[in-house]
Amino acid sequence: MANATTDAASDTSTLAIPVHVSYIQKLGESQDDLMYHLTSHLRLNAVYWGLTALCVMKHKEALEREQLIEFVMSCWDEKAGAFGAHPRHDAHILPTLSGIQILVMLDALDRLDAERVISFIFSLQSPTGSFSGDRFGETDTRFCYCAVSALSLLGVLDRLDKDRVVGYIRRCKNFDGGYGSDVGGESHASQVFTCVGALAILDRLDEVDSETLAWWLSERQLPNGGLNGRPEKLEDVCYSFWVLSSLSILRKMTWIDGSALERFILSAQDMEAGGIADRPGDMPDVWHTLFGVAGLSLLGYPGLEDLDPVYCMPTDVIERRGLRKAWLALPRREM
Amino acid sequence: MATETPPPPVLYADREEWRDITPLEQSDLENPLVPIFYPIEYKDAMDYFRGIVATKEHTDRVLELTEHIIRMNPAHYSVWQYRYSTLLALCSPEYLTKELDLMDELCLKFMKYYQVWSHRKLLLLLPESPSSTSGPNPLAHIIPTPSQELTYLSRVLATDAKNYHTWAYRQWVLTHYGDTHPGIWEYELIATDILIEDDVRNNSAWHHRFFICFASGAQNGVEERELAFVKSKISLSPNNLSAWNYLRGILDKLKIRYAELQTFVELYSGPRVGNRNEDEDEVEVYDLDNPRPSSNADLPCALAIEFLADIHEQEGDNEKAINVRALTSFDAFIPF
């Protein structure tokens, strides 16, 4: 994909919004059928990634609202009272959060049987304060974040025993200030986001070793400007979000070189087919497209909508629900 | 994603022994937003999967079918869940033995997928489930011992020493069995020795070592040993973030002032100290407390300079800290 020449078509110095919008719209028509159906277990999540990316690029209207809502509701698992990733898939907390996020962004939360979803979420909590993804019990701090975020978006955070959850997150904190997937797990940028994000929602950022963690996060930046997820691993565009959002929540975004990161994200664009990849030259996908534009938004890239790093949703949506926390992004630059 | 697909087999639709099942197609919902395309083999298998889910079947052929789908799509969590339910229904030592053998293969092959490790964990926990019948659980002697499990994990990590899920699973094994099998901690410590020897920058191995020595409660009074260990590794390769984080971790945990290491750090924060004169007969004694940088270490070391700045900051001298930090090639602006 990446062309060594300096053709206009491969000039990645700016964000090619029109091709990315079109890329997201065409996702459902993908001719790459094997990959498409192999990711059915992520479908509802993918719709959330696509919609959020469109919102950030100020093209929310590019996907039809009623169709989106209809798809979300088709993923409802009537037995469990929550969402699966695809029609007829079992309910799981990951697509459940995605479903709620989409309905909130489309102002259609009334379509949801909120009490059933709330019951489902609480059914996944263990006495230790951790959350499982589904009734089979896999524990991961990702699910803790999903539960806290979902309950917060549904306006029922008060029903949660916050101290218990905070206690669990505290046990997941490592000697380097970072957080892992469970107690004893190695610090990893995506798990750092889930824990810091959950603590932000719970108003318990006092639990974080801010200086130590921010330093660990800033060390994720590599000479090529990209960010990795833990020491000695490769850079990946998705860390532009996990690391940046955490730094934004800790109000220390200036601890990394924003211009270098911006250049890196932009260089991972596919200027012809649209979309952003994990790193320059690789195939794009909707996950990296979202986290690429999300990172750019937090970096103040001109022409984008503001994004709330705690919820990874547009700030106006979050502010309207009274959920905005004291995070700090870089100021939006003029065109 | 799985890169291998098996050679095109006979479709379930054409197999006599599956004739009694009504295959169910993907949801009828016509939604242009997310239309479905399937290569015929996957579609066929999934149609039959939906068919047996609808009839709630839990038999041998369901194991065959779900294994087939898993090999094409290891991330499909619903299929894993149904397979587990089927194993519960069949519930016998013979099935569990076969499943454990299969998981030895699949965890190695698909280690990047959460699902293989979740499934493996569920199998290990089977003898402990409350649904066990009266008397000693016949499944208890089938599952691997913690030692066997850790040996297997070493094998997996030999192919990818940093795989996150494997390490997370390893930490779970220690957390779950460590109290009743105290011998495994020593094995694990040696395992980290070997991995760090292999690649001194393996952050996962350093993290695991900290977990064993300081976070698990399994070892006591190992500070001296570990301080000597980390310093020796820093002397070998000073530009190693994992080692400096480990050092900081020990000091923070034991509430030791960073300044106590100033002599050691200053060996690394400036240009090489004390030129080795080849004419001299002096034999350099290895100083355990302050091991010198190895001959091919790259000095000055930015991480050592950072540490020096932290020392000054901790001692309350912010101005000195800022001056020291300016010595690094840090472009980032760090406000105080």
Side-chain angles (χ1 to χ4, degrees):
Chain A
M1 288 293 131
N3 203 314
T5 71
T6 51
D7 280 345
S10 57
D11 170 18
T12 57
S13 56
T14 56
L15 184 65
I17 291 178
V19 297
H20 300 319
V21 169
S22 155
Y23 169 81
I24 292 170
Q25 285 176 308
K26 288 199 201 121
L27 280 171
E29 304 161 26
S30 174
Q31 292 305 308
D32 197 348
D33 22 317
L34 187 66
M35 285 306 291
Y36 188 81
H37 77 71
L38 286 181
T39 55
S40 68
H41 64 285
L42 291 172
R43 190 69 68 241
L44 188 54
N45 309 297
V47 171
Y48 153 71
W49 302 329
L51 176 62
T52 310
L54 288 174
C55 290
V56 171
M57 292 188 288
K58 301 198 190 213
H59 280 274
K60 187 174 174 180
E61 77 300 331
L63 288 177
E64 214 272 295
R65 182 177 180 269
E66 268 310 313
Q67 263 183 22
L68 280 168
I69 296 171
E70 199 179 296
F71 179 72
V72 171
M73 298 318 296
S74 76
C75 293
W76 180 256
D77 175 354
E78 179 52 37
K79 196 161 150 225
F83 293 111
H86 202 278
R88 297 217 205 153
H89 279 218
D90 294 325
H92 193 284
I93 205 168
L94 289 167
T96 295
L97 175 62
S98 294
I100 293 169
Q101 288 172 305
I102 296 167
L103 293 176
V104 168
M105 287 193 281
L106 298 179
D107 218 348
L109 209 49
D110 53 305
R111 309 276 186 117
L112 189 66
D113 184 344
E115 283 305 322
R116 289 207 69 202
V117 175
I118 294 164
S119 290
F120 172 77
I121 295 171
F122 278 110
S123 76
L124 299 173
Q125 187 173 28
S126 87
T128 65
S130 69
F131 280 86
S132 301
D134 56 30
R135 61 197 165 89
F136 287 84
E138 180 200 348
T139 308
D140 191 309
T141 46
R142 290 179 295 153
F143 306 144
C144 204
Y145 170 81
C146 290
V148 170
S149 177
L151 292 173
S152 153
L153 290 168
L154 294 173
V156 295
L157 203 57
D158 286 340
R159 296 199 211 170
L160 185 66
D161 180 347
K162 297 180 188 172
D163 285 339
R164 198 146 55 103
V165 178
V166 169
Y168 168 71
I169 296 175
R170 185 185 303 137
R171 288 196 297 282
C172 295
K173 186 164 61 172
N174 292 316
F175 62 92
D176 49 20
Y179 296 88
S181 60
D182 200 346
V183 178
E186 184 186 357
S187 300
H188 189 288
S190 56
Q191 319 290 155
V192 167
F193 164 75
T194 59
C195 291
V196 171
L199 289 171
I201 296 172
L202 296 169
D203 294 317
R204 293 300 307 271
L205 285 173
D206 56 292
E207 287 283 322
V208 179
D209 292 337
S210 286
E211 301 270 321
T212 310
L213 179 53
W215 186 76
W216 186 90
L217 288 166
S218 71
E219 285 289 324
R220 299 302 104 246
Q221 188 155 38
L222 296 170
N224 61 23
L227 306 177
N228 64 17
R230 41 184 175 136
E232 295 295 313
K233 297 287 278 183
L234 286 179
E235 68 289 348
D236 186 319
V237 160
C238 68
Y239 297 115
S240 310
F241 180 73
W242 307 128
V243 173
L244 270 195
S245 56
S246 304
L247 282 171
S248 168
I249 293 168
L250 298 175
R251 302 171 68 92
K252 292 177 167 56
M253 266 188 77
T254 51
W255 286 34
I256 59 138
D257 182 342
S259 320
L261 177 59
E262 202 170 275
R263 280 194 299 278
F264 172 76
I265 298 171
L266 292 171
S267 73
Q269 296 178 89
D270 183 333
M271 304 304 271
E272 288 164 30
I276 300 177
D278 57 354
R279 61 185 68 85
D282 283 352
M283 272 204 65
D285 59 56
V286 64
W287 158 277
H288 290 96
T289 303
L290 167 62
F291 292 122
V293 305
L296 289 172
S297 176
L298 290 172
L299 288 167
Y301 191 85
L304 295 178
E305 204 66 69
D306 289 347
L307 179 91
D308 186 304
V310 174
Y311 292 91
C312 194
M313 292 163 69
T315 44
D316 56 353
V317 170
I318 297 301
E319 275 168 6
R320 270 203 299 278
R321 303 189 77 76
L323 296 174
R324 169 137 187 177
K325 300 297 169 184
W327 50 269
L328 192 63
L330 296 187
R332 179 95 30 232
R333 307 193 303 272
E334 298 294 310
M335 289 280 205
Chain B
M1 293 294 138
T3 53
E4 293 174 15
T5 31
V10 178
L11 298 181
Y12 293 95
D14 297 329
R15 288 166 63 176
E16 187 61 44
E17 65 270 33
W18 283 90
R19 200 127 293 195
D20 60 307
I21 288 294
T22 308
L24 294 178
E25 298 225 343
Q26 183 58 56
S27 171
D28 286 333
L29 189 72
E30 276 285 307
N31 192 328
L33 184 67
V34 278
I36 307 301
F37 298 94
Y38 296 98
I40 185 67
E41 181 193 348
Y42 189 76
K43 179 188 188 312
D44 171 66
M46 282 306 298
D47 288 347
Y48 277 83
F49 175 72
R50 282 184 281 269
I52 53 97
V53 169
T55 59
K56 299 186 175 27
E57 181 175 329
H58 291 290
T59 60
D60 258 332
R61 64 180 184 178
V62 167
L63 291 181
E64 177 201 331
L65 175 60
T66 52
E67 180 182 335
H68 183 189
I69 296 171
I70 281 163
R71 286 181 183 278
M72 288 189 283
N73 187 7
H76 202 311
Y77 66 86
S78 294
V79 174
W80 280 106
Q81 286 170 359
Y82 198 84
R83 185 179 177 87
Y84 179 69
S85 302
T86 302
L87 284 165
L88 284 181
L90 295 172
C91 194
S92 85
E94 187 203 328
Y95 282 112
L96 184 56
T97 305
K98 276 201 234 164
E99 190 72 1
L100 288 164
D101 282 342
L102 177 66
M103 289 318 290
D104 276 357
E105 181 206 337
L106 296 185
C107 289
L108 195 56
K109 200 177 163 97
F110 297 129
M111 69 174 86
K112 291 194 192 301
Y113 295 85
Y114 292 100
Q115 287 76 10
V116 297
W117 298 104
S118 296
H119 189 73
R120 193 181 180 94
K121 190 185 291 190
L122 287 173
L123 297 177
L124 273 266
L125 290 173
L126 261 176
E128 298 171 33
S129 70
S131 56
S132 308
T133 48
S134 62
N137 194 311
L139 302 177
H141 71 282
I142 307 269
I143 62 164
T145 65
S147 298
Q148 288 170 328
E149 196 63 355
L150 293 170
T151 306
Y152 170 73
L153 294 175
S154 289
R155 192 151 68 85
V156 174
L157 288 170
T159 64
D160 178 357
K162 298 181 185 179
N163 181 264
Y164 192 86
H165 304 311
T166 313
W167 279 107
Y169 182 83
R170 190 170 194 159
Q171 275 121 27
W172 171 77
V173 170
L174 283 177
T175 313
H176 194 74
Y177 298 102
D179 285 344
T180 50
H181 298 76
I184 58 183
W185 294 100
E186 199 55 41
Y187 172 87
E188 287 293 277
L189 191 69
I190 295 168
T192 65
D193 273 337
I194 296 169
L195 285 163
I196 290 172
E197 180 98 19
D198 258 348
D199 176 6
V200 74
R201 291 188 173 76
N202 185 336
N203 194 67
S204 307
W206 281 101
H207 169 85
H208 196 62
R209 194 178 176 98
F210 195 94
F211 173 67
I212 293 164
C213 295
F214 300 105
S216 64
Q219 300 215 327
N220 285 308
V222 297
E223 304 83 35
E224 291 299 319
R225 180 191 79 194
E226 290 309 301
L227 279 169
F229 179 82
V230 68
K231 284 183 201 172
S232 77
K233 295 304 180 188
I234 287 175
S235 82
L236 206 61
S237 300
N239 278 301
N240 178 7
L241 184 59
S242 304
W244 289 98
N245 277 345
Y246 192 83
L247 177 60
R248 277 193 174 79
I250 300 175
L251 301 177
D252 290 345
K253 176 98 185 166
L254 303 171
K255 307 221 190 308
I256 298 174
R257 280 166 53 239
Y258 286 13
E260 302 212 7
L261 271 82
Q262 188 155 348
T263 311
F264 169 70
V265 176
E266 279 174 345
L267 293 172
Y268 297 84
S269 57
R272 196 171 291 278
V273 173
N275 269 329
R276 186 173 302 202
N277 192 328
E278 279 164 24
D279 291 341
E280 297 200 7
D281 291 336
E282 259 181 68
V283 174
E284 189 174 308
V285 177
Y286 185 82
D287 181 349
L288 252 181
D289 280 338
N290 302 298
R292 289 173 164 280
S294 64
S295 51
N296 51 13
D298 208 3
L299 295 179
C301 168
L303 293 169
I305 297 173
E306 265 298 317
F307 197 95
L308 205 54
D310 283 351
I311 289 176
H312 296 315
E313 201 184 312
Q314 216 183 58
E315 297 299 303
D317 196 337
N318 280 337
E319 199 182 316
K320 214 166 177 184
I322 294 172
N323 289 338
V324 165
R325 283 213 167 82
L327 297 173
T328 68
S329 52
F330 246 51
D331 289 326
F333 164 62
I334 302 179
F336 280 92

